Amino acid sequence: MSWLARLGLWLVGLLVAGLLAVVLVVGVAMVVAYPNLPDISDLADYRPKLPLRIYTADGELMGEFGEERRNLTPINEIPKVMRDAVLSIEDARFYQHGGVDYLGILRAGVANLGRTKSQGASTITMQVARNVYLSTEKTYTRKIYEILLTYKLEHMLTKDQILEIYMNQIFLGNRAYGFASACEIYFGKPLKDISVAEAAMLAGLPKAPSAYNPISNPKRARSRQLYIIERMEENKYISTEQAKAAKAEPLKLRSSADKNNLHAEYVAETIRQMVFAQYGPETYTRGLNVYTTVQAAEQKAAYRALRQGILDFERRQIYRGPEKFIDLPTDLKKMEDAIDDVLDDHPDNGDLMSAVVLEAGPRKVVVVRQNAEQIEITGEGLKPVQSGLSDKAAPAVRLRRGAVVRIAQTAKGGWEITQQPEVEGAFVAITPQSGAIRALVGGFDFAKNKFNHVTQAWRQPGSSFKPFIYSAALEKGFTPATVVNDSPLFFDGGVTGGQPWEPKNYDGTFDGPMTLRKGLAKSKNMISIRVLQSVGPRNAQEWIGHFGFDEEKHPAYLTMALGAGSVTPMQMATGYSVFANGGFLVQPHLITRISDPKGKLLVDSPPPPEPTEEQRAIPARNAFVMGSLLQEVTRSGTAARAQAMLKRTDIYGKTGTTNDAMDAWFAGYQPHLAAVVWIGYDNPRKLGDRETGGGLSLPVWISFMDSALRGQPVTEPAVPAGLVQSGGDWAFEEFAHGGGITSLGTGDKAADKPTETAPDERKRILDLFRN
């Protein structure tokens, strides 16, 4: 045998020995490693971390809280098209192989050895092993553990069980885990309704959730989607015709600007706090499902109405200038990167979208969005920012190239440049009979300001508080026909114990003697003060407690007649509900039931359909007469637009504007729905000389009620016992024939002169202020 042959045999032997040694080492490693593998028996009953999910009364998801947004979905409920899309791109031979793709393992080994980026393809079973139990480090040790775990999973679980775990466990971007959650987040729809095109888009996410995100990287996501559709066709999951249709299908991605989105962030946060107080940290992992009294359609209507009201107010304000200025490079790619970066820092706020100005002139402004879409704005769309287009505009205000601005679509389909509002607002609607909260919007934008103005904002209610004073007066003998003088009042420092006080009506005029009914309808301050003088501030303070108000927040002074105390919008809704439901104080109710992921009921707390006599706050006849007075306000008074625009008579309410127009209110109801609107600045300041509750908050209320009451019949309450008609109006039976108060203050001096207080009267009024 030649030396060459001997050398060849020696090399072959060395190679065989080397291979045997590798096999032996790997075998020993596996024997040593296998006992150290994690126990996977719990995967047979797969229970991942599940978030707290909060639903409306009609089953629409309005919020979820947890590190992982996941909606656990059994494999038989995952649509076939979704499974097919995933298998086509991730593991086409999933149901044929034993869990390990040996060619893929070899590729991964070579890639690691060569320090290249390509790592080969792992099977779905290997991905489950890695995602559930192992780290993402790329080492041979971790790869051995992964292979062993893969065999163990294939031995203990069925293929469907493994695929179910994968499709619920995998991370898909935007805090979405699993395809059911991703479908809701990206497309705003349940997984059962997914199309071929949508399934292909989602199936592209596991490889790189950020790189293939259809919202932030639409071009790359589209390219991968088309590739997956082709793979689905190659694997015979779809026909050529289906593939062609899927490629042509336009995808409707869920956007914060979508008007059909359910914005219930303030409600959801309130519920999160309530549930956390009960369940602690496991609130975010136990998979609790909370069902509420909120009605999805009414919540959407409330959000749109309040938002539109605030934006309408903002259009009347002086333009404060762009949010930021950046230098735009001349290089196109660098310019696109600069625009993307700055708009990332200034995300869209619902229908208020961020954009960068490319060109600005007095008659035309061109802006660009993050997706490189250019929008030209002219004419009416430039009106809100005219001051920023002036040559005399200050540098911080002037619109120019590189300015970061807000744009919004108009009702006519065009575009306008606007600005982020500084003013805040609140809206709440409840069922008067049960206290069920049907809609709640705690501010303009939860992302910007998480302070819930419905429950946390203590503000002066202004004239919207007057009905509670009038209610007290009815118990003291007043009737709607009682005549009270709308003439000037003056209280000097000796009377008030401080500064002299000369209250005014809103319009600065005085109309002389008028009925109580007309005085409330026209919101006459002098009438309310004289009524409170007669009732007594301390008596009135005790009476307002019947409506759920905190007495200590309404000092027993005559200023209480003008709503100088402090209330929250939720308190006002509760108080007006007492008039609406016939005199019962019903506490607001939000959570109806809580269940675990399997549907087991943990809490069952439906709101009672009707109040009981134990909850009676005021007599039924008092509530009825007050309803009659509040109905007059919406028929002929400061809120006459309400009945006129809603074209129905069962509308009751009261406007409210505080001193210097710092708060604008409208509180009102239909017999089966009470709602309150407040608008103002967090740090109180004037809304504007011409801004009132009737002009600012009432349109929001009307817009909501127009939607909420559509199709509902007009409801008129029955006349309760103890009332009679007297003097052409309602009166308590015992006050109908001379027992009540027929007039008040009608002996005063001429209405155009301040009334000096006589010495003997001065002491009585001073006592009223102090008591």
mmCIF file of all heavy atoms in Angstrom, residues 419-439:
data_model
loop_
_atom_site.group_PDB
_atom_site.id
_atom_site.type_symbol
_atom_site.label_atom_id
_atom_site.label_comp_id
_atom_site.label_asym_id
_atom_site.label_seq_id
_atom_site.Cartn_x
_atom_site.Cartn_y
_atom_site.Cartn_z
ATOM 1 N N GLN A 419 -54.621 73.878 15.958
ATOM 2 C CA GLN A 419 -53.639 73.750 17.027
ATOM 3 C C GLN A 419 -54.218 72.909 18.159
ATOM 4 O O GLN A 419 -55.427 72.727 18.272
ATOM 5 C CB GLN A 419 -53.228 75.124 17.554
ATOM 6 C CG GLN A 419 -54.364 75.959 18.103
ATOM 7 C CD GLN A 419 -53.935 77.378 18.431
ATOM 8 O OE1 GLN A 419 -52.760 77.674 18.590
ATOM 9 N NE2 GLN A 419 -54.905 78.280 18.554
ATOM 10 N N GLN A 420 -53.336 72.367 18.976
ATOM 11 C CA GLN A 420 -53.753 71.574 20.129
ATOM 12 C C GLN A 420 -54.455 72.492 21.134
ATOM 13 O O GLN A 420 -53.913 73.525 21.510
ATOM 14 C CB GLN A 420 -52.542 70.938 20.815
ATOM 15 C CG GLN A 420 -51.865 69.866 19.998
ATOM 16 C CD GLN A 420 -52.283 68.467 20.428
ATOM 17 O OE1 GLN A 420 -53.454 68.228 20.719
ATOM 18 N NE2 GLN A 420 -51.343 67.559 20.449
ATOM 19 N N PRO A 421 -55.659 72.126 21.571
ATOM 20 C CA PRO A 421 -56.363 72.981 22.541
ATOM 21 C C PRO A 421 -55.663 73.026 23.890
ATOM 22 O O PRO A 421 -55.044 72.048 24.312
ATOM 23 C CB PRO A 421 -57.733 72.302 22.667
ATOM 24 C CG PRO A 421 -57.867 71.439 21.463
ATOM 25 C CD PRO A 421 -56.483 70.990 21.135
ATOM 26 N N GLU A 422 -55.765 74.166 24.542
ATOM 27 C CA GLU A 422 -55.310 74.296 25.924
ATOM 28 C C GLU A 422 -56.476 74.123 26.892
ATOM 29 O O GLU A 422 -56.283 73.735 28.035
ATOM 30 C CB GLU A 422 -54.672 75.668 26.151
ATOM 31 C CG GLU A 422 -53.349 75.845 25.412
ATOM 32 C CD GLU A 422 -52.696 77.174 25.708
ATOM 33 O OE1 GLU A 422 -53.405 78.087 26.222
ATOM 34 O OE2 GLU A 422 -51.486 77.322 25.447
ATOM 35 N N VAL A 423 -57.687 74.403 26.420
ATOM 36 C CA VAL A 423 -58.864 74.304 27.258
ATOM 37 C C VAL A 423 -59.198 72.833 27.487
ATOM 38 O O VAL A 423 -58.839 71.955 26.693
ATOM 39 C CB VAL A 423 -60.059 75.040 26.608
ATOM 40 C CG1 VAL A 423 -60.635 74.241 25.443
ATOM 41 C CG2 VAL A 423 -61.137 75.366 27.630
ATOM 42 N N GLU A 424 -59.875 72.542 28.588
ATOM 43 C CA GLU A 424 -60.265 71.172 28.917
ATOM 44 C C GLU A 424 -61.789 71.060 28.989
ATOM 45 O O GLU A 424 -62.507 72.071 28.924
ATOM 46 C CB GLU A 424 -59.645 70.730 30.245
ATOM 47 C CG GLU A 424 -58.239 70.174 30.107
ATOM 48 C CD GLU A 424 -58.176 68.885 29.311
ATOM 49 O OE1 GLU A 424 -59.247 68.318 28.974
ATOM 50 O OE2 GLU A 424 -57.045 68.436 29.016
ATOM 51 N N GLY A 425 -62.268 69.849 29.117
ATOM 52 C CA GLY A 425 -63.710 69.636 29.186
ATOM 53 C C GLY A 425 -64.034 68.333 29.868
ATOM 54 O O GLY A 425 -63.153 67.504 30.152
ATOM 55 N N ALA A 426 -65.303 68.131 30.149
ATOM 56 C CA ALA A 426 -65.772 66.892 30.774
ATOM 57 C C ALA A 426 -67.194 66.629 30.322
ATOM 58 O O ALA A 426 -67.978 67.564 30.097
ATOM 59 C CB ALA A 426 -65.715 67.001 32.302
ATOM 60 N N PHE A 427 -67.508 65.345 30.189
ATOM 61 C CA PHE A 427 -68.868 64.943 29.828
ATOM 62 C C PHE A 427 -69.200 63.648 30.556
ATOM 63 O O PHE A 427 -68.383 62.728 30.597
ATOM 64 C CB PHE A 427 -68.996 64.711 28.318
ATOM 65 C CG PHE A 427 -70.398 64.344 27.890
ATOM 66 C CD1 PHE A 427 -71.248 65.308 27.386
ATOM 67 C CD2 PHE A 427 -70.873 63.053 28.041
ATOM 68 C CE1 PHE A 427 -72.548 64.986 27.030
ATOM 69 C CE2 PHE A 427 -72.167 62.719 27.695
ATOM 70 C CZ PHE A 427 -73.005 63.691 27.188
ATOM 71 N N VAL A 428 -70.396 63.587 31.110
ATOM 72 C CA VAL A 428 -70.864 62.343 31.728
ATOM 73 C C VAL A 428 -72.362 62.222 31.518
ATOM 74 O O VAL A 428 -73.099 63.210 31.572
ATOM 75 C CB VAL A 428 -70.506 62.286 33.235
ATOM 76 C CG1 VAL A 428 -71.144 63.436 34.016
ATOM 77 C CG2 VAL A 428 -70.902 60.939 33.836
ATOM 78 N N ALA A 429 -72.802 60.998 31.221
ATOM 79 C CA ALA A 429 -74.231 60.722 31.043
ATOM 80 C C ALA A 429 -74.585 59.492 31.865
ATOM 81 O O ALA A 429 -73.856 58.496 31.847
ATOM 82 C CB ALA A 429 -74.556 60.477 29.568
ATOM 83 N N ILE A 430 -75.684 59.554 32.590
ATOM 84 C CA ILE A 430 -76.101 58.424 33.418
ATOM 85 C C ILE A 430 -77.595 58.184 33.283
ATOM 86 O O ILE A 430 -78.360 59.064 32.880
ATOM 87 C CB ILE A 430 -75.731 58.641 34.910
ATOM 88 C CG1 ILE A 430 -76.544 59.794 35.523
ATOM 89 C CG2 ILE A 430 -74.258 58.911 35.085
ATOM 90 C CD1 ILE A 430 -76.248 60.000 36.997
ATOM 91 N N THR A 431 -77.997 56.968 33.616
ATOM 92 C CA THR A 431 -79.416 56.628 33.675
ATOM 93 C C THR A 431 -79.950 57.082 35.027
ATOM 94 O O THR A 431 -79.498 56.579 36.066
ATOM 95 C CB THR A 431 -79.635 55.116 33.515
ATOM 96 O OG1 THR A 431 -79.090 54.693 32.264
ATOM 97 C CG2 THR A 431 -81.116 54.771 33.569
ATOM 98 N N PRO A 432 -80.888 58.025 35.079
ATOM 99 C CA PRO A 432 -81.329 58.575 36.376
ATOM 100 C C PRO A 432 -81.925 57.536 37.313
ATOM 101 O O PRO A 432 -81.790 57.647 38.532
ATOM 102 C CB PRO A 432 -82.381 59.618 35.972
ATOM 103 C CG PRO A 432 -82.065 59.968 34.557
ATOM 104 C CD PRO A 432 -81.544 58.713 33.949
ATOM 105 N N GLN A 433 -82.614 56.537 36.770
ATOM 106 C CA GLN A 433 -83.297 55.566 37.601
ATOM 107 C C GLN A 433 -82.343 54.574 38.274
ATOM 108 O O GLN A 433 -82.634 54.076 39.365
ATOM 109 C CB GLN A 433 -84.337 54.782 36.777
ATOM 110 C CG GLN A 433 -85.527 55.599 36.334
ATOM 111 C CD GLN A 433 -85.199 56.602 35.242
ATOM 112 O OE1 GLN A 433 -84.242 56.427 34.484
ATOM 113 N NE2 GLN A 433 -85.983 57.672 35.152
ATOM 114 N N SER A 434 -81.213 54.260 37.636
ATOM 115 C CA SER A 434 -80.315 53.241 38.173
ATOM 116 C C SER A 434 -78.933 53.764 38.536
ATOM 117 O O SER A 434 -78.184 53.096 39.246
ATOM 118 C CB SER A 434 -80.142 52.113 37.139
ATOM 119 O OG SER A 434 -79.480 52.596 35.975
ATOM 120 N N GLY A 435 -78.570 54.927 38.036
ATOM 121 C CA GLY A 435 -77.222 55.448 38.258
ATOM 122 C C GLY A 435 -76.197 54.879 37.292
ATOM 123 O O GLY A 435 -75.000 55.171 37.414
ATOM 124 N N ALA A 436 -76.632 54.051 36.340
ATOM 125 C CA ALA A 436 -75.709 53.442 35.383
ATOM 126 C C ALA A 436 -75.027 54.516 34.544
ATOM 127 O O ALA A 436 -75.702 55.323 33.891
ATOM 128 C CB ALA A 436 -76.460 52.463 34.482
ATOM 129 N N ILE A 437 -73.685 54.536 34.563
ATOM 130 C CA ILE A 437 -72.924 55.490 33.765
ATOM 131 C C ILE A 437 -72.895 54.984 32.326
ATOM 132 O O ILE A 437 -72.350 53.928 32.037
ATOM 133 C CB ILE A 437 -71.501 55.647 34.314
ATOM 134 C CG1 ILE A 437 -71.548 56.217 35.736
ATOM 135 C CG2 ILE A 437 -70.665 56.546 33.397
ATOM 136 C CD1 ILE A 437 -70.198 56.237 36.431
ATOM 137 N N ARG A 438 -73.468 55.745 31.429
ATOM 138 C CA ARG A 438 -73.588 55.310 30.030
ATOM 139 C C ARG A 438 -72.517 55.900 29.129
ATOM 140 O O ARG A 438 -72.202 55.350 28.078
ATOM 141 C CB ARG A 438 -74.979 55.659 29.516
ATOM 142 C CG ARG A 438 -76.042 54.782 30.180
ATOM 143 C CD ARG A 438 -77.430 55.346 30.110
ATOM 144 N NE ARG A 438 -77.942 55.481 28.758
ATOM 145 C CZ ARG A 438 -79.226 55.718 28.481
ATOM 146 N NH1 ARG A 438 -80.103 55.820 29.479
ATOM 147 N NH2 ARG A 438 -79.627 55.850 27.236
ATOM 148 N N ALA A 439 -71.930 57.017 29.533
ATOM 149 C CA ALA A 439 -70.832 57.616 28.777
ATOM 150 C C ALA A 439 -70.051 58.524 29.707
ATOM 151 O O ALA A 439 -70.639 59.196 30.562
ATOM 152 C CB ALA A 439 -71.360 58.407 27.581
#
